[in-house]
Amino acid sequence: MTIRRKLLIAFLFIAVLSSVVTTVLLSFTTRSLFDWYVQSNTEARATQWQRLLAAYYTERGSWDGVGALIRSTQFVRGRGGPRHLMMPPATAGPERIILADQTGRIIADSSGTDIGLFLTDMTIPSRLPITVNGEVVGSVAIVTGFQKGLMTLEAAFLRRMTTTSIIGGAIIALIGIGLAFIFSRHLSQPLSKLAIAARQMASGNFDVKLEVSTGDEMEEVAHAFNFMKDSLKANEEARHKLVADVAHELRTPLSVLRGNLESMQEGITEPTQETIVSLHDEVLRLSRIVQDLLNLGQMESGGFPLNLELTNIVEVITRVTSVFAAETDARGIRLETNIQGTLPHTQADPDRIVQVLVNLLANAVHHTPDGGEISVSASRIDDNIVVSVTDSGPGIAKEDLPHVFDRFYRTDRARDRAAGGTGLGLAIVKGIITAHKGSIRVESEPGVSTTFTFSLPVLPSD
């Protein structure tokens, strides 16, 4: 069931429920008000007779002749002029007055039917005692035909109110259906767009863009969807690029191996020592590419193994710079080490930090011209050990800086891949530093220098 249909049903249910509740409340309220009016009217009439009969008993000292007074009610209308004290109250319609003495026996009845019976045996709602000088001398009761007339009017009015409520409820239901149709369309239309866009994206179309301008949560969902779409598009492009780069990287050494092996099989070339060494180098190159890809996969999945121990970063720097000392001396490159102060130990995998420094220094040596300078510095800044490798090479173009840590990215596209390595070194460097909960960045000024800087957290006790 669609959301639009659910909303229509919900609005219709609310409209019908409101109509029913309104009808019931109106009927109950009207009946209560009519009952109260009838009861109040009857009690007011009984009070008037109570006062009149009390005055009659006070004046006469007994109930003698009271029957004539009570029977005269059918002739009294009393509208307009003043009444005598002994004149009965004006009636609003036919009514029956019943008077009983102090024993409860009826001594006067305007209808003349129940004289001699006891008032206590009759069910009469409006009955009041008559008190003279603190003594109950009788009681008066009123039965009016006006009550039946009111009940008839009440029933007619309630029927009219019920009919009106039903009609009003139907109108409310129609309005509710109209509003439900408008609101459901307003709410479901962005969801329909979202569903269509999701299906297009699932089919591989990442150029779709969801446009929703509702100013509410639906617009936030649309923005989140577009952000997710852009992220998936970027990941998909990166995946395609990775597959193409891996295929390209593997194709070169595989082509070399295949060509040489086929030449040997066909007797074109002899399996000399030099040829075997060349083929072995290509195999090592293939193994290195595969191992680097495996390491990157582990880094991205959070499963990259680290053998953490207390590590003296100064010893690591000294060990790595000594490896490159012979090459830099041969090319006249000045390799300097600058350690600022006494650095604390850090919790790290020393072999992986060596791998980081080897990659950074290898890149620096490769890009630094003969007679240039390379500087390795280390210092403590706040709660981090910061290590920088700076070379005086040609630098990195501004547009290349955001991509230097990407897989298979080369800043010098003119160099062949054999001379440029696998293109995975800096990506692995970043993965290793990130696995140590550190950070790495690069700064470069083309034609002047390039600086790679990474930081590692120090131990809390230090």
Side-chain angles (χ1 to χ4, degrees):
M1 183 180 293
T2 62
I3 292 180
R4 179 177 298 183
R5 185 171 298 178
K6 290 180 179 178
L7 288 173
L8 285 173
I9 293 175
F11 273 89
L12 181 59
F13 175 77
I14 293 173
V16 173
L17 181 62
S18 300
S19 176
V20 172
V21 171
T22 302
T23 302
V24 172
L25 289 177
L26 282 176
S27 298
F28 176 78
T29 303
T30 303
R31 183 175 288 108
S32 299
L33 289 174
F34 267 86
D35 289 343
W36 171 81
Y37 175 75
V38 171
Q39 183 67 24
S40 299
N41 181 74
T42 305
E43 289 179 355
R45 294 287 299 152
T47 302
Q48 289 178 331
W49 276 103
Q50 180 190 37
R51 293 173 181 172
L52 176 65
L53 293 174
Y56 180 91
Y57 190 89
T58 301
E59 182 180 343
R60 300 291 179 89
S62 67
W63 293 118
D64 294 338
V66 73
L69 176 64
I70 291 178
R71 286 193 299 271
S72 65
T73 58
Q74 56 184 319
F75 305 109
V76 177
R77 292 295 177 263
R79 294 186 183 272
R83 292 199 305 266
H84 188 269
L85 183 61
M86 292 296 109
M87 183 176 290
T91 63
E95 64 183 5
R96 180 185 174 193
I97 310 301
I98 303 174
L99 175 64
D101 59 14
Q102 62 268 32
T103 63
R105 187 172 60 85
I106 298 174
I107 58 176
D109 185 351
S110 61
S111 64
T113 56
D114 293 329
I115 296 176
L117 299 179
F118 283 90
L119 191 59
T120 55
D121 297 333
M122 302 175 63
T123 304
I124 299 175
S126 300
R127 180 168 53 190
L128 297 176
I130 300 172
T131 305
V132 177
N133 298 326
E135 180 183 358
V136 177
V137 296
S139 58
V140 62
I142 295 180
V143 179
T144 175
F146 185 55
Q147 291 176 315
K148 296 181 180 180
L150 286 177
M151 293 302 107
T152 303
L153 290 174
E154 178 186 13
F157 182 77
L158 287 177
R159 284 195 300 270
R160 184 171 298 178
M161 289 297 296
T162 302
T163 303
T164 304
S165 299
I166 293 174
I167 295 175
I171 295 174
I172 293 174
L174 292 176
I175 295 174
I177 292 174
L179 292 176
F181 180 80
I182 296 174
F183 290 154
S184 62
R185 183 177 181 181
H186 177 73
L187 293 175
S188 62
Q189 190 172 18
L191 294 177
S192 300
K193 291 182 179 180
L194 178 62
I196 294 173
R199 284 192 291 268
Q200 291 178 348
M201 192 171 63
S203 63
N205 180 14
F206 290 98
D207 294 326
V208 62
K209 186 175 182 180
L210 192 60
E211 297 287 351
V212 176
S213 301
T214 57
D216 54 14
E217 289 80 359
M218 291 303 303
E219 186 171 349
E220 294 182 7
V221 172
H223 290 324
F225 176 85
N226 291 330
F227 179 78
M228 178 188 68
K229 181 263 300 179
D230 293 338
S231 299
L232 290 176
K233 182 179 180 180
N235 291 337
E236 186 68 10
E237 291 175 350
R239 185 181 68 84
H240 285 297
K241 184 177 183 299
L242 175 63
V243 172
D245 288 340
V246 170
H248 189 83
E249 292 290 338
L250 295 179
R251 184 170 61 243
T252 300
L254 286 175
S255 296
V256 173
L257 288 173
R258 180 180 177 181
N260 281 278
L261 290 174
E262 288 178 350
S263 297
M264 291 178 188
Q265 286 178 336
E266 296 174 359
I268 299 175
T269 59
E270 294 293 332
T272 63
Q273 181 67 26
E274 182 180 354
T275 304
I276 293 174
V277 170
S278 176
L279 295 178
H280 184 258
D281 289 341
E282 294 300 328
V283 171
L284 292 178
R285 174 175 164 79
L286 282 173
S287 299
R288 189 168 65 253
I289 292 175
V290 172
Q291 186 59 47
D292 288 348
L293 289 172
L294 289 174
N295 288 338
L296 283 173
Q298 289 177 330
M299 291 173 186
E300 291 179 353
S301 64
F304 186 65
L306 292 175
N307 297 317
L308 299 177
E309 59 183 70
L310 287 177
T311 302
N312 187 332
I313 196 69
V314 177
E315 294 179 357
V316 174
I317 293 174
T318 302
R319 182 170 32 146
V320 174
T321 53
S322 64
V323 173
F324 290 89
E327 182 178 358
T328 55
D329 290 343
R331 293 177 53 191
I333 297 174
R334 185 171 63 181
L335 178 60
E336 295 182 347
T337 301
N338 181 17
I339 308 298
Q340 299 180 8
T342 302
L343 299 182
H345 289 69
T346 183
Q347 192 79 4
D349 186 332
D351 293 334
R352 295 300 183 185
I353 301 302
V354 167
Q355 184 179 356
V356 168
L357 285 171
V358 166
N359 271 281
L360 295 179
L361 275 173
N363 281 337
V365 171
H366 182 79
H367 291 91
T368 301
D370 294 348
E373 296 181 359
I374 297 175
S375 172
V376 180
S377 63
S379 62
R380 176 172 180 172
I381 299 178
D382 296 329
D383 293 329
N384 295 285
I385 295 177
V386 180
V387 180
S388 297
V389 178
T390 303
D391 65 70
S392 59
I396 303 173
K398 184 178 180 180
E399 62 270 16
D400 291 325
L401 284 176
H403 306 288
V404 295
F405 296 108
D406 294 347
R407 300 175 180 180
F408 300 112
Y409 191 83
R410 289 178 174 81
T411 59
D412 187 358
R413 297 173 179 83
R415 292 186 289 115
D416 60 36
R417 292 182 179 270
T422 65
L424 297 173
L426 290 178
I428 292 175
V429 165
K430 182 178 181 180
I432 292 174
I433 297 300
T434 301
H436 281 82
K437 295 181 173 53
S439 62
I440 186 169
R441 68 181 186 275
V442 59
E443 299 172 341
S444 181
E445 185 177 351
V448 179
S449 65
T450 299
T451 301
F452 284 88
T453 303
F454 68 88
S455 61
L456 298 173
V458 300
L459 293 176
S461 58
D462 293 330

